[in-house]
Coordinates of all heavy atoms in Angstrom, one line a residue:
Chain A
R9 N 117.9 119.8 -9.7 CA 117.0 118.7 -10.3 C 117.8 118.0 -11.3 O 117.4 116.8 -11.6 CB 115.8 119.5 -11.0 CG 114.8 120.1 -9.9 CD 114.1 119.1 -9.1 NE 113.6 117.9 -9.8 CZ 112.4 117.9 -10.4 NH1 111.7 119.0 -10.4 NH2 112.0 116.9 -11.1
S31 N 113.8 112.2 9.9 CA 114.5 111.1 9.1 C 114.5 111.5 7.7 O 113.6 111.9 7.1 CB 113.7 109.9 9.4 OG 114.2 108.8 8.5
S33 N 116.0 109.8 4.0 CA 116.6 108.6 3.4 C 116.9 108.9 2.0 O 116.3 109.7 1.4 CB 115.6 107.4 3.5 OG 115.3 107.0 4.7
Y35 N 117.6 107.2 -2.0 CA 117.5 106.1 -2.9 C 118.1 106.4 -4.2 O 118.1 107.5 -4.6 CB 116.0 105.7 -3.0 CG 115.3 105.2 -1.8 CD1 114.9 106.1 -0.8 CD2 115.1 103.8 -1.6 CE1 114.2 105.7 0.3 CE2 114.5 103.4 -0.4 CZ 114.1 104.4 0.5 OH 113.4 104.0 1.7
Q37 N 117.7 105.3 -8.3 CA 116.8 104.5 -9.2 C 117.3 104.5 -10.5 O 117.7 105.5 -11.2 CB 115.3 105.2 -9.2 CG 114.4 104.3 -10.0 CD 112.9 104.9 -9.9 OE1 112.7 106.1 -9.8 NE2 111.9 104.0 -10.0
L43 N 114.4 100.7 -7.7 CA 114.7 101.7 -6.5 C 115.6 101.0 -5.5 O 115.2 99.9 -5.0 CB 113.4 102.2 -5.9 CG 112.8 103.4 -6.4 CD1 111.3 103.4 -6.2 CD2 113.4 104.6 -5.6
F45 N 118.0 101.3 -1.9 CA 118.2 102.1 -0.6 C 119.7 102.5 -0.4 O 120.4 101.5 -0.6 CB 117.7 101.4 0.5 CG 117.9 102.0 1.9 CD1 117.3 103.1 2.4 CD2 118.8 101.4 2.7 CE1 117.6 103.7 3.5 CE2 119.2 102.0 3.9 CZ 118.5 103.1 4.3
E48 N 120.1 106.1 5.5 CA 119.0 106.9 6.2 C 119.7 107.7 7.3 O 120.6 107.1 8.0 CB 117.9 106.0 6.8 CG 116.8 106.8 7.5 CD 116.6 106.4 8.9 OE1 117.3 105.4 9.4 OE2 115.7 107.0 9.6
R55 N 121.7 106.1 10.5 CA 121.1 105.1 11.3 C 121.0 103.8 10.5 O 121.0 102.7 11.1 CB 119.7 105.6 11.7 CG 119.0 104.6 12.7 CD 117.8 105.3 13.4 NE 116.8 105.8 12.5 CZ 115.7 106.3 12.9 NH1 115.4 106.4 14.2 NH2 114.7 106.7 12.0
N56 N 120.8 103.8 9.2 CA 120.8 102.6 8.4 C 121.6 102.8 7.1 O 121.6 104.0 6.6 CB 119.3 102.3 8.0 CG 118.5 101.8 9.2 OD1 118.7 100.7 9.8 ND2 117.6 102.7 9.7
L88 N 118.5 108.4 -11.2 CA 117.6 109.4 -10.5 C 117.9 109.1 -9.0 O 117.7 108.1 -8.5 CB 116.2 109.2 -10.9 CG 115.2 110.1 -10.2 CD1 115.3 111.5 -10.7 CD2 113.8 109.6 -10.5
L90 N 116.7 109.9 -5.3 CA 115.6 110.3 -4.5 C 115.9 110.5 -3.1 O 116.6 109.6 -2.5 CB 114.5 109.3 -4.9 CG 114.0 109.2 -6.3 CD1 113.3 107.9 -6.5 CD2 113.0 110.4 -6.5
S94 N 110.5 111.4 6.7 CA 109.5 110.8 7.6 C 109.7 111.4 9.0 O 110.8 111.9 9.2 CB 109.4 109.4 7.5 OG 110.5 108.7 8.2
G96 N 110.4 109.6 11.4 CA 111.5 108.9 11.9 C 111.2 108.2 13.3 O 112.0 107.7 14.0
L97 N 109.8 107.9 13.4 CA 109.4 107.2 14.6 C 109.5 105.7 14.4 O 109.3 105.3 13.2 CB 107.9 107.6 15.0 CG 107.8 109.2 15.1 CD1 106.3 109.4 15.4 CD2 108.6 109.7 16.3
A98 N 109.6 105.0 15.4 CA 109.8 103.5 15.2 C 108.3 102.9 15.2 O 108.2 101.7 15.6 CB 110.5 103.0 16.4
G99 N 107.4 103.5 14.8 CA 106.1 103.0 14.7 C 105.8 102.3 13.4 O 106.5 102.6 12.3
V100 N 104.7 101.6 13.3 CA 104.5 100.8 12.1 C 103.9 101.7 10.9 O 103.9 101.2 9.9 CB 103.5 99.6 12.4 CG1 104.2 98.6 13.3 CG2 102.2 100.1 12.9
T101 N 103.5 102.9 11.2 CA 102.8 103.8 10.2 C 103.6 104.9 9.9 O 103.1 105.8 9.3 CB 101.4 104.1 10.6 OG1 101.5 104.8 11.8 CG2 100.5 102.9 10.8
D102 N 104.9 104.9 10.1 CA 105.7 106.1 9.8 C 105.8 106.1 8.3 O 106.6 105.3 7.6 CB 107.1 106.0 10.5 CG 107.8 107.2 10.3 OD1 107.2 108.3 10.1 OD2 109.1 107.2 10.4
T103 N 105.1 107.0 7.6 CA 105.1 107.0 6.1 C 106.3 107.9 5.6 O 106.5 108.9 6.1 CB 103.8 107.6 5.6 OG1 102.8 106.7 6.1 CG2 103.7 107.5 4.1
Q104 N 106.9 107.4 4.5 CA 108.0 108.2 3.8 C 107.4 109.0 2.7 O 106.6 108.4 2.0 CB 109.0 107.3 3.4 CG 109.9 106.7 4.5 CD 111.3 106.2 3.9 OE1 111.3 105.5 3.0 NE2 112.3 106.7 4.5
Y105 N 107.8 110.2 2.5 CA 107.4 111.1 1.6 C 108.6 111.4 0.7 O 109.6 111.8 1.2 CB 106.7 112.3 2.0 CG 105.4 112.0 2.8 CD1 105.4 111.8 4.1 CD2 104.2 111.9 2.1 CE1 104.2 111.4 4.9 CE2 103.1 111.6 2.8 CZ 103.1 111.4 4.2 OH 101.9 111.1 4.7
F106 N 108.4 111.3 -0.6 CA 109.6 111.4 -1.6 C 109.6 112.9 -2.2 O 108.7 113.5 -2.4 CB 109.6 110.4 -2.7 CG 109.9 109.1 -2.2 CD1 109.0 108.2 -1.6 CD2 111.2 108.5 -2.4 CE1 109.3 107.0 -1.1 CE2 111.6 107.3 -2.0 CZ 110.6 106.5 -1.3
G107 N 110.9 113.2 -2.5 CA 111.1 114.5 -3.2 C 111.1 114.2 -4.7 O 110.8 113.0 -5.2
P108 N 111.2 115.2 -5.6 CA 111.1 115.0 -7.1 C 112.3 114.3 -7.6 O 112.2 113.8 -8.7 CB 111.0 116.4 -7.5 CG 111.7 117.3 -6.5 CD 111.4 116.6 -5.2
R111 N 118.3 114.2 -11.2 CA 118.7 113.3 -12.4 C 120.2 113.6 -12.5 O 120.6 114.7 -13.0 CB 117.9 113.7 -13.5 CG 118.4 113.0 -14.9 CD 118.3 111.5 -14.9 NE 116.8 111.1 -14.9 CZ 116.4 109.9 -14.8 NH1 117.2 108.9 -14.6 NH2 115.1 109.6 -14.9
Chain B
N30 N 102.0 92.8 12.3 CA 101.9 94.2 12.5 C 102.4 95.0 11.3 O 102.6 96.2 11.2 CB 102.9 94.6 13.7 CG 104.3 94.2 13.4 OD1 104.6 93.5 12.4 ND2 105.3 94.7 14.2
D31 N 102.3 94.3 10.1 CA 102.7 95.0 8.9 C 101.5 95.8 8.3 O 100.4 95.3 8.2 CB 103.1 93.9 7.8 CG 104.5 93.5 8.0 OD1 105.3 94.1 8.8 OD2 104.8 92.4 7.4
Y32 N 101.8 97.0 7.9 CA 100.8 97.9 7.1 C 101.1 97.7 5.6 O 102.2 97.3 5.2 CB 100.9 99.3 7.5 CG 100.1 99.6 8.7 CD1 100.4 99.1 10.0 CD2 98.9 100.3 8.6 CE1 99.6 99.4 11.1 CE2 98.1 100.7 9.7 CZ 98.5 100.1 10.9 OH 97.8 100.5 12.0
T34 N 101.1 99.7 2.0 CA 101.2 101.1 1.5 C 101.3 101.0 0.0 O 102.0 100.1 -0.6 CB 102.5 101.8 2.1 OG1 102.4 101.6 3.5 CG2 102.5 103.2 1.7
Y36 N 102.3 103.4 -3.4 CA 102.9 104.6 -4.1 C 102.6 104.6 -5.5 O 102.5 103.6 -6.2 CB 104.4 104.6 -3.8 CG 104.9 104.9 -2.4 CD1 105.0 103.9 -1.5 CD2 105.1 106.2 -2.1 CE1 105.4 104.2 -0.3 CE2 105.5 106.6 -0.7 CZ 105.7 105.5 0.2 OH 106.1 105.9 1.4
Q38 N 104.3 106.4 -9.1 CA 105.3 107.1 -9.6 C 105.2 107.5 -11.2 O 104.9 106.5 -11.9 CB 106.7 106.3 -9.4 CG 108.0 107.0 -9.7 CD 109.2 106.4 -9.4 OE1 109.2 105.1 -9.4 NE2 110.2 107.2 -9.2
P40 N 107.2 109.1 -14.5 CA 108.6 109.0 -15.0 C 109.4 110.2 -14.5 O 108.9 111.4 -14.5 CB 108.4 109.1 -16.6 CG 107.1 108.5 -16.8 CD 106.2 108.9 -15.7
S41 N 110.6 109.9 -14.1 CA 111.6 111.0 -13.7 C 111.0 111.7 -12.4 O 111.4 112.9 -12.2 CB 112.0 111.9 -14.7 OG 112.6 111.2 -15.8
Q42 N 110.1 111.2 -11.7 CA 109.6 111.8 -10.4 C 109.7 110.9 -9.3 O 109.8 109.7 -9.5 CB 108.2 112.3 -10.6 CG 107.9 113.5 -11.6 CD 106.6 113.9 -11.6 OE1 105.9 113.9 -10.6 NE2 106.1 114.5 -12.8
G43 N 109.7 111.4 -8.0 CA 109.7 110.5 -6.9 C 108.3 109.9 -6.6 O 107.3 110.4 -7.1
P44 N 108.4 108.7 -6.1 CA 107.1 108.1 -5.7 C 106.2 108.9 -4.9 O 106.7 109.6 -4.0 CB 107.6 106.8 -4.9 CG 109.0 106.6 -5.4 CD 109.5 107.9 -5.6
R45 N 104.9 108.9 -5.1 CA 103.9 109.7 -4.4 C 103.1 108.7 -3.6 O 102.6 107.8 -4.1 CB 103.1 110.5 -5.3 CG 102.1 111.4 -4.5 CD 101.4 112.3 -5.6 NE 100.3 111.6 -6.3 CZ 99.0 111.7 -6.1 NH1 98.6 112.5 -5.1 NH2 98.1 111.0 -6.9
F46 N 102.9 109.0 -2.2 CA 102.1 108.2 -1.3 C 100.8 108.3 -1.8 O 100.1 109.4 -1.9 CB 102.4 108.7 0.1 CG 101.4 108.0 1.1 CD1 101.7 106.9 1.7 CD2 100.2 108.7 1.4 CE1 100.8 106.2 2.6 CE2 99.3 108.2 2.3 CZ 99.6 107.0 2.9
Q49 N 97.3 104.0 2.6 CA 97.9 103.0 3.5 C 96.8 102.3 4.4 O 95.8 103.0 4.7 CB 99.0 103.6 4.4 CG 99.7 102.7 5.3 CD 100.7 103.5 6.1 OE1 100.3 104.3 7.1 NE2 102.0 103.3 5.9
Y87 N 103.4 101.0 -6.9 CA 104.1 100.0 -6.1 C 103.3 99.7 -4.9 O 102.8 100.6 -4.2 CB 105.4 100.7 -5.7 CG 106.4 100.9 -6.8 CD1 106.5 102.2 -7.4 CD2 107.3 99.9 -7.2 CE1 107.4 102.5 -8.4 CE2 108.2 100.2 -8.2 CZ 108.3 101.5 -8.8 OH 109.2 101.8 -9.7
G91 N 105.0 96.2 5.1 CA 106.0 96.3 6.2 C 106.3 97.7 6.6 O 106.1 98.6 5.9
A92 N 106.6 97.8 7.8 CA 106.9 99.1 8.4 C 108.3 99.5 8.1 O 109.2 98.7 8.0 CB 106.7 99.1 9.9
F93 N 108.5 100.8 7.9 CA 109.9 101.3 7.5 C 110.9 100.7 8.5 O 112.0 100.3 8.0 CB 109.8 102.8 7.6 CG 111.0 103.6 7.5 CD1 111.7 103.4 6.3 CD2 111.6 104.4 8.3 CE1 112.9 104.1 6.0 CE2 112.7 105.1 8.1 CZ 113.4 104.9 7.0
Y94 N 110.7 100.8 9.7 CA 111.8 100.3 10.7 C 111.8 98.8 10.9 O 112.8 98.3 11.3 CB 111.6 101.1 11.9 CG 111.9 102.5 11.7 CD1 110.9 103.5 11.6 CD2 113.2 102.9 11.5 CE1 111.1 104.8 11.3 CE2 113.6 104.3 11.1 CZ 112.5 105.1 11.1 OH 112.8 106.5 10.8
N95 N 110.7 98.1 10.6 CA 110.7 96.7 10.7 C 111.5 96.0 9.4 O 111.8 94.8 9.4 CB 109.3 96.1 10.7 CG 108.7 96.5 12.0 OD1 109.3 96.9 13.0 ND2 107.3 96.2 12.1
G97 N 114.4 97.2 8.5 CA 115.9 97.6 8.6 C 116.0 99.1 8.2 O 117.0 99.4 7.8
G98 N 114.9 99.8 8.4 CA 115.0 101.3 8.1 C 115.0 101.6 6.7 O 115.7 102.6 6.3
K99 N 114.3 100.8 5.8 CA 114.3 101.1 4.4 C 113.0 100.6 3.8 O 112.4 99.6 4.3 CB 115.6 100.5 3.6 CG 115.6 99.1 3.7 CD 116.8 98.6 3.0 CE 117.0 97.0 3.0 NZ 117.3 96.5 4.4
L100 N 112.7 101.1 2.7 CA 111.6 100.6 2.0 C 112.1 99.7 0.9 O 113.1 100.0 0.2 CB 110.7 101.7 1.3 CG 110.0 102.7 2.3 CD1 109.2 103.8 1.6 CD2 109.0 101.9 3.2
I101 N 111.5 98.7 0.6 CA 111.9 97.7 -0.4 C 110.8 97.7 -1.5 O 109.6 97.4 -1.3 CB 112.0 96.3 0.1 CG1 113.1 96.2 1.2 CG2 112.4 95.4 -1.1 CD1 113.3 94.9 1.8
F102 N 111.2 98.2 -2.7 CA 110.3 98.4 -3.8 C 110.5 97.2 -4.7 O 111.6 96.9 -5.1 CB 110.6 99.6 -4.6 CG 110.1 100.9 -3.9 CD1 110.8 101.5 -2.9 CD2 109.0 101.5 -4.2 CE1 110.4 102.7 -2.2 CE2 108.4 102.7 -3.6 CZ 109.2 103.3 -2.6
G103 N 109.3 96.6 -5.2 CA 109.4 95.6 -6.2 C 109.4 96.3 -7.5 O 109.7 97.4 -7.7

Side-chain angles (χ1 to χ4, degrees):
Chain A
R9 292 295 311 279
S31 169
S33 298
Y35 294 80
Q37 186 173 32
L43 267 153
F45 173 75
E48 184 235 357
R55 188 162 63 172
N56 292 289
L88 180 67
L90 294 160
S94 70
L97 305 175
V100 295
T101 60
D102 189 25
T103 302
Q104 286 201 307
Y105 295 91
F106 286 81
R111 170 71 64 187
Chain B
N30 60 350
D31 282 345
Y32 274 70
T34 309
Y36 284 87
Q38 187 178 26
S41 296
Q42 293 186 29
R45 181 175 78 105
F46 171 85
Q49 184 180 69
Y87 294 96
F93 178 58
Y94 293 102
N95 289 351
K99 60 182 181 290
L100 294 179
I101 299 175
F102 287 80

